[in-house]
Amino acid sequence: MAEGESLESVTEHERILQEIESTDTACVGPTLRSVYDDQPNAHQRFMEKLDTRIRNHDREIEKMCNFHHQGFVDAINELLKVRADAEKLKVQVTDTNRRFQEAGKEVIAKTEETIRCRTQQRNIATVVDKLQMCLPALEMYSKLKEQMSGKRYYSALKTMEQLEHVYLPKVSQYRFCQIMAENLPKLREEIKEISMSGLKDFLESIRKHSDKIGETAMKQVLSVQDLVDFTPVYRCLHIYTVLGDKEVFENYYRKQRRKQARLVLQPQANMHETVEGYRKYFSQIVGFFVVEDHILHVTQGLVTGSYTTELWTMAQSKIIAALRTHSSYCTDPDLVLELKNLIVVFADTLQGYGFPVNRLFDLLYEVRDKYNETLLKKWAGLFRDIFEADNYSPIPVANEEEYMAVISKFPFQDPEGDKVSFPKKLPMSQSVPQIYMQVKEFIYASLKFSESLHRSSTEIDDLLRKSTNLLLTRTLSSGLQNLIKKPHIGLTELVQIIINTTHLEQACKYLEDFITNITNVSPETVHTTRLYGLSTFKDARHAAEEEIYTKLNQKIDEFVQLADYDWTMSEPDGRASGYLMDLINFLRSTFQVFTNLPGKVAQTACMSACKHLSTSLTQMLLDSELKQISMGAIQQFNLDVIQCELFASSDPVPGFQEDTLQLAFIDLRQLLDLFMIWDWSTYLADYGQPNSKYLRVNPSTALILLEKMKDMNKKNNIFAQFRKNDRDRQKLIDTVVKQLRSLVNGMSQHS
């Protein structure tokens, strides 16, 4: 025992070694842990004990092996001796077996033949018995095959049912019966597929021919049964019902028909180009719903009322949307009218089959608006052609026949003119009766849309009047306004346009009577729309009058631009300027043309022209580009103004009171008199007095003109300081300029 090692420690190590030898390996952990939980150096001492125990066991194993070694050697030697005897025995057994096999071959052959014959006899008897049992099933299966070949599918289904429930259960143990039983579902599926194929052919056929079906239905000459063979539908429905899949068939049929409905409801992109496009579209839809209506009434539940109602509601929305879109592209009123007729027939046909079509008739209001729009566009072109072809001269009539030809188109009445003998001229130009006739044609065209709409006379009358009002107030009015603004329309043409509009305005009451005769609705009826085209012609007349005033002023400006004054001349020419005399001659001839105009128009035009001429002449004097004016130039200018005053006093247009027209030149006259007389003392003394001789002369105007004369005097009088009169005149001008400036400044401060 090692020094210092206690007895207790040795005993504890022995106990741990015993536990390790006897304990399961998975549970040895706690035991080993106790080695480390002991005193210091316990682990080392335990390892020494462990090594000692291992050496003891090794010695015991070695002793045991030495004890059994000799017996093992002896057993091996005995086994080697037995092996030689075993080989001899094997050879003998093999030889004996060979001889035995050869001897038994013949016996075995005879035995097997006997067994085979007896088995065959037993099998034949069994087969005969079993065939007697199987023959009915085989006969029924053969019958089934014949029915399938003969396409008698409903009978085949009945035969299958007998096979399944009566014949096959009796012989179900045989494989051929199992094969038959396995084939029956396949045959049922084959029948379903064949019937479904027939249905698909039917669906494809009615899809292709739905337009023909619909076209015939819309003509109401044949029933749908005469056009379509519904046998595939009945057969398929019957077969699926027998097979218990009626719901599957119904769902399939409805799904396919919904798909076809979407195709039918999808219009061609160019449908709006021809009436045939619309007709085919409507025919397809009618054909589709006529077929569905027939299916609804001849089958039980394949389609239902709620199904067709839902389908029609969806279809009606798509139809209306498609028609709105495509009709918006239509520019031909005849095509829109054809579309309306097709919609009416389409709606009436479907209504006859019980489908609600109120929304389609509501759509006709929108189509009517589109029709009116296309009519208005067409008539805008007709009016434009009439205006362009007119010569804007009174209509000449050589005899009674020509006169009657005109008044047969236009309600012209002129008691005074009737007294004039032929040849003579009617006051309006050729466009008036043409426009009147075209308005009547428009009313006829508008009336065509109201036919077959089941509308009352009052409604039709109201629609006609409203559309005619649009023609007058929008289309014709716009045409007249554009005509008046055209560059080639001169003063003569404008005068004729004013006369024309007067006669057209008077003819409106005859258009009222024309509509009344068509609709038999009196204009006095409550809520009857009145023609308010009168304003159209008044507005056009006012526009023409304004254009006359504008063109007169433009013409005056053209003449004034030809003025070529020598503003530095010392003496006047003694006669009026050529440009002004040409202008006055132009005004005289122009106002002679105005004799057919209402007096007020001619007077306004004349006064406007004189005022514009006076203003233009004044602006010529005051032009900022004109720096110097001589007294000789003012005297020459005065001669021209005198000619203007003579023209105004010559009464170029009747109706003016005394010197009313001359007042257009009064401002210019007083300004020129002030400079011609050089009457500055009077002007300055009386300025601001209501009875002043130069009341119309503005100080700023006088100042501008005086400064131009002042500058002219300075230029022409370099040696003026050596001449007393010139010096006095210059001083006077300077004094007057100062006083005028004072007046101008006072006016600006006062304002």
Side-chain angles (χ1 to χ4, degrees):
M1 183 179 299
E3 186 177 359
E5 184 179 5
S6 66
L7 181 61
E8 293 179 0
S9 174
V10 172
T11 303
E12 178 64 19
H13 290 164
E14 287 295 334
R15 184 187 65 77
I16 292 171
L17 290 173
Q18 289 175 1
E19 286 185 4
I20 292 172
E21 290 172 348
S22 60
T23 305
D24 186 11
T25 306
C27 301
V28 79
T31 304
L32 292 176
R33 193 179 299 113
S34 64
V35 175
Y36 297 93
D37 296 340
D38 210 338
Q39 299 174 0
N41 299 322
H43 172 262
Q44 182 178 356
R45 290 195 297 273
F46 173 77
M47 293 302 295
E48 292 173 356
K49 290 290 183 181
L50 182 61
D51 290 339
T52 303
R53 179 64 61 90
I54 291 172
R55 285 195 297 273
N56 290 337
H57 282 301
D58 288 342
R59 283 194 296 272
E60 290 176 1
I61 292 170
E62 186 177 355
K63 288 177 182 180
M64 186 178 292
C65 289
N66 290 335
F67 177 76
H68 292 286
H69 176 69
Q70 187 59 43
F72 175 74
V73 172
D74 293 340
I76 293 300
N77 291 332
E78 289 294 328
L79 184 62
L80 291 174
K81 292 177 181 180
V82 171
R83 184 173 64 180
D85 294 336
E87 291 291 336
K88 292 177 182 180
L89 179 61
K90 178 180 178 183
V91 171
Q92 292 174 357
V93 170
T94 302
D95 184 58
T96 301
N97 180 63
R98 180 181 55 78
R99 290 197 302 272
F100 180 76
Q101 292 292 336
E102 290 176 354
K105 280 183 179 179
E106 185 175 352
V107 176
I108 292 171
K110 294 295 183 181
T111 303
E112 288 179 349
E113 184 178 355
T114 301
I115 293 170
R116 187 165 55 252
C117 289
R118 289 179 179 176
T119 302
Q120 286 177 349
Q121 289 176 347
R122 187 172 62 251
N123 287 346
I124 289 171
T126 303
V127 166
V128 170
D129 293 339
K130 298 301 182 184
L131 281 174
Q132 293 297 326
M133 293 176 61
C134 294
L135 277 176
L138 291 171
E139 289 173 353
M140 290 298 290
Y141 194 79
S142 176
K143 180 181 178 181
L144 172 62
K145 286 293 187 180
E146 290 177 1
Q147 290 169 338
M148 291 291 293
S149 299
K151 298 182 179 180
R152 301 193 305 274
Y153 300 117
Y154 181 69
S155 300
L157 289 174
K158 290 297 184 182
T159 302
M160 287 184 201
E161 188 175 356
Q162 289 181 328
L163 275 170
E164 279 185 323
H165 296 94
V166 179
Y167 295 99
L168 291 182
K170 296 178 181 179
V171 290
S172 60
Q173 68 272 25
Y174 299 111
R175 179 168 176 74
F176 79 89
C177 293
Q178 295 175 2
I179 293 173
M180 287 181 185
E182 291 173 357
N183 280 340
L184 293 182
K186 296 178 181 177
L187 290 174
R188 284 195 177 93
E189 288 299 320
E190 183 179 345
I191 291 173
K192 288 172 67 174
E193 289 176 1
I194 291 171
S195 62
M196 184 59 72
S197 176
L199 176 68
K200 289 178 180 177
D201 293 340
F202 167 80
L203 292 174
E204 181 65 19
S205 175
I206 61 173
R207 186 188 70 81
K208 290 181 178 178
H209 299 96
S210 61
D211 55 339
K212 298 296 182 183
I213 299 169
E215 183 178 353
T216 305
M218 286 164 64
K219 292 178 181 177
Q220 300 179 354
V221 295
L222 282 172
S223 62
V224 68
Q225 301 96 297
D226 300 327
L227 300 173
V228 182
D229 179 15
F230 289 93
T231 302
V233 181
Y234 306 149
R235 180 171 57 239
C236 198
L237 175 61
H238 197 57
I239 288 172
Y240 271 75
T241 302
V242 171
L243 294 175
D245 284 339
K246 180 181 179 183
E247 185 177 352
V248 173
F249 172 73
E250 289 174 354
N251 292 335
Y252 175 81
Y253 177 85
R254 295 177 186 179
K255 181 180 179 181
Q256 294 303 314
R257 289 296 278 166
R258 281 194 179 95
K259 288 182 179 178
Q260 289 188 349
R262 294 189 185 96
L263 292 175
V264 165
L265 294 169
Q266 184 64 37
Q268 294 182 347
N270 61 342
M271 181 177 75
H272 59 276
E273 294 178 357
T274 62
V275 69
E276 289 304 319
Y278 287 110
R279 181 175 287 114
K280 184 175 182 180
Y281 179 65
F282 287 131
S283 298
Q284 287 177 341
I285 297 170
V286 170
F288 178 89
F289 281 99
V290 164
V291 169
E292 289 304 285
D293 180 75
H294 181 78
I295 294 292
L296 172 67
H297 289 91
V298 299
T299 61
Q300 295 295 325
L302 180 54
V303 296
T304 62
S306 60
Y307 162 79
T308 54
T309 299
E310 175 193 351
L311 205 58
W312 171 241
T313 301
M314 178 272 292
Q316 197 168 202
S317 298
K318 289 186 176 295
I319 292 167
I320 291 172
L323 292 178
R324 278 175 178 158
T325 300
H326 283 268
S327 64
S328 65
Y329 298 132
C330 290
T331 57
D332 182 6
D334 294 334
L335 180 56
V336 181
L337 188 62
E338 289 283 353
L339 172 59
K340 164 257 174 180
N341 293 332
L342 286 174
I343 293 175
V344 171
V345 175
F346 173 72
D348 287 344
T349 302
L350 288 174
Q351 192 174 40
Y353 284 90
F355 294 98
V357 293
N358 291 338
R359 293 180 63 191
L360 289 174
F361 280 106
D362 292 339
L363 174 66
L364 286 174
Y365 281 104
E366 299 179 28
V367 178
R368 182 201 66 204
D369 293 338
K370 179 61 184 176
Y371 178 68
N372 283 337
E373 286 296 323
T374 57
L375 284 182
L376 292 174
K377 288 182 181 178
K378 179 180 178 180
W379 258 257
L382 293 174
F383 289 150
R384 184 169 56 250
D385 294 341
I386 290 172
F387 290 143
E388 290 178 356
D390 196 6
N391 59 6
Y392 297 97
S393 300
I395 301 175
V397 286
N399 49 48
E400 183 73 19
E401 183 180 357
E402 291 183 4
Y403 178 75
M404 295 304 296
V406 174
I407 65 172
S408 65
K409 299 177 183 178
F410 181 74
F412 174 71
Q413 293 181 352
D414 183 13
E416 295 298 325
D418 291 343
K419 299 176 183 178
V420 180
S421 60
F422 295 101
K424 58 184 177 181
K425 291 184 178 181
L426 304 182
M428 66 278 189
S429 68
Q430 193 64 49
S431 63
V432 172
Q434 292 176 348
I435 289 173
Y436 183 81
M437 290 299 295
Q438 284 301 328
V439 173
K440 292 175 67 175
E441 289 297 322
F442 176 88
I443 295 171
Y444 277 129
S446 183
L447 177 65
K448 288 180 181 178
F449 195 92
S450 301
E451 296 172 350
S452 306
L453 288 186
H454 317 299
R455 303 294 182 187
S456 66
S457 298
T458 304
E459 288 179 292
I460 295 174
D461 183 86
D462 187 59
L463 293 176
L464 286 181
R465 293 176 187 273
K466 286 181 178 178
S467 59
T468 306
N469 277 331
L470 279 177
L471 178 73
L472 297 177
T473 60
R474 196 172 78 183
T475 307
L476 183 55
S477 175
S478 176
L480 286 169
Q481 296 290 342
N482 292 334
L483 172 68
I484 290 166
K485 297 296 182 181
K486 286 186 177 295
H488 70 276
I489 297 298
L491 292 169
T492 304
E493 289 80 5
L494 288 170
V495 170
Q496 187 62 57
I497 289 172
I498 292 174
I499 296 169
N500 288 351
T501 55
T502 303
H503 288 284
L504 286 171
E505 180 181 341
Q506 294 169 354
C508 278
K509 62 180 181 180
Y510 297 101
L511 292 176
E512 292 262 12
D513 296 338
F514 178 70
I515 296 175
T516 299
N517 292 333
I518 291 176
T519 61
N520 292 321
V521 176
S522 173
E524 285 73 27
T525 303
V526 180
H527 303 308
T528 299
T529 303
R530 302 302 300 268
L531 290 185
Y532 44 86
L534 301 178
S535 61
T536 294
F537 303 114
K538 283 186 171 66
D539 293 342
R541 199 155 50 246
H542 292 157
E545 292 168 5
E546 291 297 327
E547 193 66 18
I548 285 176
Y549 307 149
T550 301
K551 286 188 179 297
L552 263 178
N553 292 344
Q554 290 174 349
K555 202 69 179 176
I556 290 171
D557 291 340
E558 292 175 7
F559 278 103
V560 170
Q561 288 174 3
L562 298 176
D564 187 20
Y565 287 102
D566 179 6
W567 298 107
T568 61
M569 61 177 15
S570 57
E571 296 292 336
D573 292 341
R575 62 180 180 276
S577 302
Y579 84 91
L580 189 71
M581 297 308 298
D582 292 340
L583 171 57
I584 290 175
N585 291 333
F586 163 77
L587 291 176
R588 289 188 188 279
S589 61
T590 299
F591 291 136
Q592 287 178 357
V593 177
F594 285 9
T595 53
N596 293 324
L597 284 175
K600 185 178 179 182
V601 177
Q603 292 170 14
T604 303
C606 189
M607 177 59 77
S608 173
C610 290
K611 285 184 177 180
H612 186 74
L613 176 57
S614 177
T615 301
S616 299
L617 293 173
T618 303
Q619 289 175 348
M620 192 187 301
L621 286 176
L622 303 179
D623 187 2
S624 59
E625 298 295 323
L626 179 60
K627 303 299 183 181
Q628 300 170 345
I629 299 178
S630 66
M631 181 57 72
I634 289 179
Q635 292 170 348
Q636 178 63 43
F637 195 80
N638 182 61
L639 293 176
D640 294 341
V641 174
I642 290 173
Q643 291 299 322
C644 295
E645 292 169 329
L646 291 174
F647 168 74
S649 63
S650 66
D651 199 16
V653 173
F656 285 110
Q657 294 181 355
E658 298 181 0
D659 58 351
T660 301
L661 194 58
Q662 290 176 276
L663 292 176
F665 299 96
I666 188 64
D667 292 10
L668 187 56
R669 168 48 53 207
Q670 290 186 6
L671 178 64
L672 291 175
D673 285 348
L674 175 61
F675 278 85
M676 294 282 292
I677 303 174
W678 206 249
D679 196 9
W680 293 106
S681 58
T682 303
Y683 175 76
L684 295 173
D686 295 344
Y687 179 76
Q689 299 298 322
N691 57 352
S692 172
K693 180 180 178 181
Y694 304 102
L695 180 64
R696 315 279 300 192
V697 178
N698 190 290
S700 58
T701 304
L703 177 61
I704 293 172
L705 188 57
L706 186 59
E707 286 184 330
K708 293 182 179 186
M709 291 190 68
K710 174 183 176 183
D711 293 339
M712 184 68 189
N713 288 337
K714 287 182 178 180
K715 177 181 178 182
N716 293 337
N717 297 291
I718 300 175
F719 303 103
Q721 63 271 27
F722 301 110
R723 296 195 292 271
K724 184 176 185 302
N725 290 338
D726 291 334
R727 287 200 307 272
D728 293 343
R729 183 180 179 87
Q730 189 64 39
K731 288 180 181 180
L732 176 59
I733 291 176
D734 292 339
T735 302
V736 172
V737 165
K738 291 179 181 179
Q739 291 178 327
L740 288 175
R741 285 176 180 169
S742 176
L743 290 176
V744 171
N745 292 334
M747 289 174 61
S748 61
Q749 291 175 1
H750 180 70
S751 61

